[in-house]
Amino acid sequence: MVVTGLIILALVPLIRMEWISDTGDLRLIREELSHFARRVEELEKKDAEHAKENEELKARIKVLEATTQRQQDELDFLNNMLTQSTDNGQSTAKGHRNKTSIHGADQVTVQKTIAHNKRRSYQVNSIQRIRQVNTDTPVAFFSTLQHTISNSGSDQQIAFDHVITNIGNGFNKFSGDFRVPIKGIYVFSTTLSPYSTHNSHFKFMLNGTPVSNIYTLETASQQIVLSLNASDTVAVHTVNAGYHVQGGGYSTFSGFLLHQFHDGVAVVGK
Ligand SMILES: *[C@@H]1O[C@H](CO)[C@@H](O)[C@H](O)[C@H]1NC(C)=O
Ligand SMILES: *[C@@H]1O[C@H](CO)[C@@H](O)[C@H](O)[C@H]1NC(C)=O
């Protein structure tokens, strides 16, 4: 018992020291913990930043995908044009006709191809422009009324009987019809001279339907612009009966093709 008591007494300081050193460890542990807590906090902050960056990157990818799609569309369009110009005997590498898929490393190829096709498309455009100029068909007519109409019918088509210009042969001096030879934008003018005290009404007709009215107290003129298809007809009519329409060059009808429409790119190959 005594021995045991002595051993216990001898151990007490040791236990105390142990306890003291435990306290030191706890402090260390506390420091470590607070260090870890700070570290965790930092990491959480970084994590939040990464999440934000991730969102931004996702948005950026979406934009890039849309851009890529647009470029693909443009590429398809240019490829179509190039195919047509190639069929017309222009030298173009076959590779540019291939539909290019856009994935990873192919992007670089696509960029190069787009740049190349852009250059090509300028060339194609200028080829087209030159062709348009070369193939534009001149259409123009000018006719005057030589024989006075002294007592018109109602809705009578005026046959401007004295042809001065008729390039493209669209105008018919017997009927007074201008028949559109080629699709395009046309400009027409008429001058009508009742040469009397009569108030007269006239109208421009497109395919037998009035497009505008002309009122003349003395001499009146009107200009109209129409987008027309081949075979459309344009003429000048009286509205009522009993008009006097002065001949001898006082009443006129003229028109010309302002701009020819080439459907699509069909001009290539002509
Ligand atoms: C075009 O694509 C076809 C089919 O994918 C391929 O066989 C051919 O080699 C390609 N042409 C060029 C010039 O890359
Ligand atoms: C010309 O043709 C187009 C297509 O067929 C048609 O929509 C248009 O109305 C025509 N225009 C005239 C003035 O006949």
Side-chain angles (χ1 to χ4, degrees):
M1 279 305 272
V2 174
V3 174
T4 311
L6 277 174
I7 289 169
I8 288 165
L9 275 176
L11 281 175
V12 165
L14 282 177
I15 288 164
R16 263 185 68 84
M17 275 175 69
E18 217 18 54
W19 182 75
I20 286 160
S21 98
D22 263 3
T23 321
D25 282 353
L26 272 175
R27 193 167 48 77
L28 268 177
I29 287 166
R30 245 186 245 118
E31 271 171 20
E32 283 283 308
L33 273 177
S34 80
H35 173 73
F36 276 125
R38 271 200 311 279
R39 191 86 188 97
V40 165
E41 211 172 286
E42 273 168 24
L43 286 174
E44 275 174 354
K45 222 163 107 189
K46 275 217 175 105
D47 198 38
E49 275 167 18
H50 284 156
K52 200 173 151 217
E53 270 171 26
N54 229 349
E55 285 307 311
E56 281 168 7
L57 283 175
K58 272 188 199 161
R60 186 93 192 92
I61 285 170
K62 274 215 177 97
V63 171
L64 284 175
E65 275 173 355
T67 310
T68 304
Q69 185 57 50
R70 264 205 318 280
Q71 287 173 342
Q72 180 68 62
D73 291 347
E74 186 187 5
L75 205 59
D76 290 347
F77 173 75
L78 291 173
N79 279 339
N80 274 341
M81 283 182 77
L82 286 174
T83 305
Q84 293 188 32
S85 91
T86 305
D87 292 345
N88 190 36
Q90 302 295 322
S91 67
T92 307
K94 277 201 171 75
H96 300 126
R97 279 202 250 171
N98 274 6
K99 194 176 161 78
T100 317
S101 73
I102 301 183
H103 286 300
D106 282 349
Q107 290 253 20
V108 178
T109 319
V110 170
Q111 300 288 358
K112 280 184 184 160
T113 313
I114 286 173
H116 180 90
N117 280 355
K118 271 188 177 152
R119 281 197 300 278
R120 290 284 317 162
S121 101
Y122 289 137
Q123 289 169 24
V124 169
N125 280 344
S126 42
I127 288 165
Q128 223 177 319
R129 255 200 307 280
I130 290 161
R131 286 228 169 80
Q132 268 190 10
V133 169
N134 287 346
T135 59
D136 258 355
T137 317
V139 180
F141 74 94
F142 172 45
S143 196
T144 67
L145 187 66
Q146 198 56 39
H147 294 98
T148 296
I149 299 169
S150 49
N151 187 14
S152 80
S154 98
D155 200 22
Q156 180 186 331
Q157 184 157 308
I158 299 168
F160 297 85
D161 55 348
H162 183 63
V163 174
I164 293 164
T165 308
N166 199 7
I167 296 163
N169 271 320
F171 185 72
N172 181 334
K173 69 173 182 178
F174 301 106
S175 67
D177 264 329
F178 171 73
R179 195 177 179 80
V180 174
I182 45 171
K183 186 173 178 170
I185 302 168
Y186 286 81
V187 178
F188 299 94
S189 296
T190 189
T191 297
L192 296 156
S193 178
Y195 208 70
S196 70
T197 52
H198 276 77
N199 298 346
S200 321
H201 299 263
F202 299 86
K203 50 194 175 177
F204 260 119
M205 305 292 282
L206 167 58
N207 298 329
T209 305
V211 285
S212 67
N213 293 311
I214 304 153
Y215 169 73
T216 70
L217 188 53
E218 292 180 337
T219 293
S221 286
Q222 188 173 78
Q223 184 171 65
I224 63 169
V225 178
L226 295 171
S227 175
L228 300 172
N229 300 316
S231 296
D232 284 342
T233 56
V234 177
V236 179
H237 282 204
T238 63
V239 172
N240 296 312
Y243 296 161
H244 179 101
V245 189
Q246 186 60 37
Y250 285 94
S251 300
T252 67
F253 181 30
S254 62
F256 60 89
L257 172 63
L258 178 67
H259 178 79
Q260 181 175 350
F261 284 138
H262 300 280
D263 284 322
V265 285
V267 62
V268 177
K270 267 187 189 168

